[in-house]
Each structure stands twice: as structure tokens, then as C-alpha cells.
Amino acid sequence: MPYHEFECSKCIPERKKHAVVKGPGETLADALPLGYLNTIPGTISERGCAYCGAKHVIGTPMKDVIHMSHGPVGCTYDTWQTKRYISDNDNFQLKYTYATDMKEKHIVFGAEKLLKQNIIEAFKAFPNIKRMTLYQTCASALIGDDINAIADEVMEELPDVDIFVCNSPGFGGPSQSGGHHKINIAWINQKVGNVEPKITSDYVINYVGEYNIQGDQEVMVDYFKRMGIQVLSTFTGNGSYDDLRAMHRAHLNVLECARSAEYICNELRQRYGTPRLDIDGFGFEPLSASLRKVAMFFGIEERAEAIIAEETARWKPELDWYKERLKGKRVCLWPGGSKLWHWAHVIHAEMGVDVVSVYTKFGHQGDMEKGIARCEEGALAIDDPNELEGLEAMYNLKPDVIFTGKRPGEVAKKIRVPYLNAHAYHNGPYKGFEGWVRFARDIYNAIYSPIHKLAYLDISKDEIATDKGFETRQ
Ligand code: CFM
């Protein structure tokens, strides 16, 4: 499997081993792109930082919590702008964002007083909310503010509140993935085991590594409920702080995104003996297999079969309608982490598209290994690409659509490549049987939308767009 050298990155020799082309009959052992390394200075990586991974990916989907960043106000920006992890409490966690707003003078004189004042002010402003997560940022970590001590002080003064402290400043890992790890471990160390839940079923799970993007969690929890399973907590989409303190009482951890949340599952297994079962909510076959696996664990197979039969009968004809029209379309599958392997094979098998490239911004080599194993021969696999590499790949591969985030997505639009939001989705949820059809519909609309014709229209000329292309106005 030859490494692929980008023309635009010839001047950055460190990039040489970060991309490969999947050759015919080659084994993954021949060459895997390097991965999960420190970002190379000068490549203008599009990764997030370890604070972002901890707070914006895993912390803030928790719904009944004030999420406070101790740092400059800009660090909270993502909360409002780019995330779509909705919740059934009127999206409290998405509506507000909190920062201590550190300035230069705090760097000189310290910001612990400022932090305490902010915490108390936030609890006063929202008297119904008694839980808080507190995040270290680069600025407050560098000056050595002791946020644990302040949290303890406040909890002593206000006995009805509970505060979780996350020490994952931006520089604390090669990418957001380092932050995932830190918050997983911090949560189990500080909070799990502190609350005793009410058990209402013989079958009790934690649903882990699921962030309720546009309602994914609600779709999946509905299946579990129909099977008679109690979902004790969701780590963390639409999840409740106190439910997540009771994770130790589940019989099984059902793990969706292994990239971001396998750490807590592994710890729960070690400390409490709870088994981990990896599942996949994307795609009819993987989802059916997942429901079967969960059911098999509890010996309730017939309940899973009933749901699979009902949902497949309802949604499969629609999926096939889209598959017919998407066959052979060329796709670049360019998400952040685990979606390259969650999606690569199943979109080919169930929607007929060909995956001509996979990339991951912060995945580990194991993620890349799975992604490459599941995409088409000849596909280009890239670790932590920069904008110019992405552009070069699109010019060479000429995809019909790319699945990626909104920043690279805007770049794609500029060269008239349709893009679909792989992170926050367009019209999600994408999980579940219905969700998978929604995904297919979004792909179909992205590729066939007449808007692309208009995008090519040069309004300085006297042209109109028609079904057959462009014609001169009469
Ligand atoms: Fe897991 Fe995620 Fe992902 Fe991820 Fe993410 Fe995300 Fe993603 Mo954006 S936890 S690794 S850090 S599936 S936020 S919900 S879409 S890059 S592929």
C-alpha cells in the first residue's frame, strides 16, 4: 500500500507518511498512515484541541448542567455555533454558554476569585439547575489556577450543588481525542458510584458514546425501551448528570462510539465487572445485528426480532428507492473520528455509493485500519489533512459528494462539490432505521439538487440553467 504524497505538501516532509492509497490485494500491515500524533506545525491542521474534545464533544451534551469554562470567552464559542446535540429538557445545554471571561490582568494576578464569583453568579441565575461541569482551558491551566479547590469551596458553601471538574486544557493532548480520554477518566474517578438509581427492569444498560446528534439517542433508546430494557444513563447525549453518577449499576455497557468513550467502558469493566458490548446504530444490517447482540445478552431475542421485522418492513422499500439512484456515486467520507469505519462499508452495501476516500482528523491508527478495510480498493486514506490536501484530493478524485464538517464543507462548495454534514447532519437523526433513510435522502438531495446548476451559472453572461445544462437566454 503506497504512501501518497500530496503536491501541495511536498514542502512539509513530515506529511509524507500520513496518506496511503488502498492497493489491490494489499494488507493493512504494509502501510497505515501515521495517526494520533502531535499536529505538525505549519500544516494548518483542522483538528480540535483537547479542551474541545472534553467539553464540546463529551461534556456539554449533558442536559441538566451549567457548563462553565474557566478561560477567555472565545473558548466557549463552539457551544452555540456548531453543535446539534439536542435534549428533551428544551435544550437547556444548547441555549446558554458560560465562561469566566479571563483577561490579561487575570493572567498576571490570577483568576481564582473571578472563577468563584462566576460559579455563584451562574447558580443564582438558574436556581433550578444544581449541577455544574467546570473546564480548565489553556489560559487558566498555564497560570496554575486551582479549579478543584474552588469547586470544593463552593460545594461546601452551597450544599445542594454538585460540581464536576475537568482538567483538560487545550494543550493537554494531540487533538480532541486526548480530551475524550481525560474526561472519561475524570468522570469515573470523581462521579460514578455517588448515586444509587431506581432499577425498574431485569435488563439494565448504559448507552455509552452516544451524543444525540439531532435526536440519534432518542431513536435508539426507543428500540431499547420497546425491548423492555432500562437505559440507566446515556454517556452523554440527552444524558442527565445524576443518572451518569449511577453508571456502576448497569448490567451491560452498550458502546456506540468506541473512539470517544471506550475508556469509561473499560474502566467500568475493571472496577465494577460490567461487560462492554460494541454496537452500531447506522445502517439496517449493522443496527439489526446490534439489537440482536444486546437481546442475546439478556436472552430476549424474540423482542429484537419483532422490532427488526417491523422497522425493516416499514423503511426498507424507501431505502432501496434511494439505493437505485445512488448506485456508483463517488463519495469522500471525511469525518472527524469513528464515522469513517461506522459508515464506509455500509453506505456501499446499502446505498450503493463507492467510497473513494476516507479521512480522519484525530482518529487513532486502529480507526484508520478499520476505515481502510471497509472502503473501496484504490481509495485514498488521509490522516489529519489540511485544507490544501483536501482540495487537491477533490480535484483528483472528482467525488459526487463529500461527507464532512462545515469548515471543509464550505471549501468543497466553493469548487462546486456537494457536501453533507457528517458531524451535525443535515436532516437527521441518521441512526435507526428511519434515520438511515433520512441519510439516504440527504445524500440524494445533495447530489441531485438543482441548486448545483445555479451554482455554475455565470450571471455576468446572459445564461439560464435548464434541465439540459446552460442555455443562452433568448
Ligand atoms: Fe465519536 Fe462522535 Fe465521531 Fe467523536 Fe467528533 Fe461527533 Fe465526529 Mo464531529 S464522538 S469520534 S469527536 S462519533 S463531534 S458525535 S461527528 S468529529 S466522527
Side-chain angles (χ1 to χ4, degrees), residues 316-376:
K316 188 74 181 2
E318 287 198 33
L319 184 68
D320 289 343
W321 189 91
Y322 289 111
K323 182 179 181 181
E324 202 47 47
R325 286 149 182 88
L326 294 177
K327 213 170 273 167
K329 295 293 177 195
R330 295 162 63 80
V331 170
C332 288
L333 175 47
W334 288 352
S338 64
K339 279 173 187 152
L340 83 156
W341 50 266
H342 274 293
W343 289 357
H345 176 64
V346 70
I347 54 179
H348 177 68
E350 298 191 356
M351 298 180 192
V353 299
D354 291 334
V355 177
V356 296
S357 177
V358 286
Y359 86 36
T360 157
K361 288 186 192 296
F362 57 82
H364 300 203
Q365 281 193 301
D367 298 299
M368 194 52 109
E369 199 170 343
K370 287 189 269 186
I372 292 175
R374 292 175 189 182
C375 64
E376 274 42 87

Side-chain angles (χ1 to χ4, degrees), residues 247-320:
M247 289 180 93
H248 59 299
R249 290 295 181 215
H251 304 144
L252 179 68
N253 288 312
V254 172
L255 174 61
E256 186 90 40
C257 173
R259 176 66 287 120
S260 62
E262 64 171 353
Y263 317 102
I264 196 161
C265 285
N266 294 347
E267 289 300 318
L268 286 162
R269 181 168 55 193
Q270 277 205 342
R271 299 185 197 188
Y272 299 98
T274 325
R276 153 187 166 176
L277 185 73
D278 291 32
I279 67 150
D280 192 339
F282 295 115
F284 279 45
E285 278 310 310
L287 172 56
S288 302
S290 299
L291 295 177
R292 282 190 186 108
K293 278 198 289 183
V294 175
M296 215 182 279
F297 180 86
F298 292 116
I300 49 173
E301 287 91 329
E302 69 298 338
R303 299 187 192 178
E305 293 305 335
I307 293 171
I308 295 163
E310 187 188 328
E311 296 284 330
T312 307
R314 167 72 183 84
W315 296 108
K316 188 74 181 2
E318 287 198 33
L319 184 68
D320 289 343

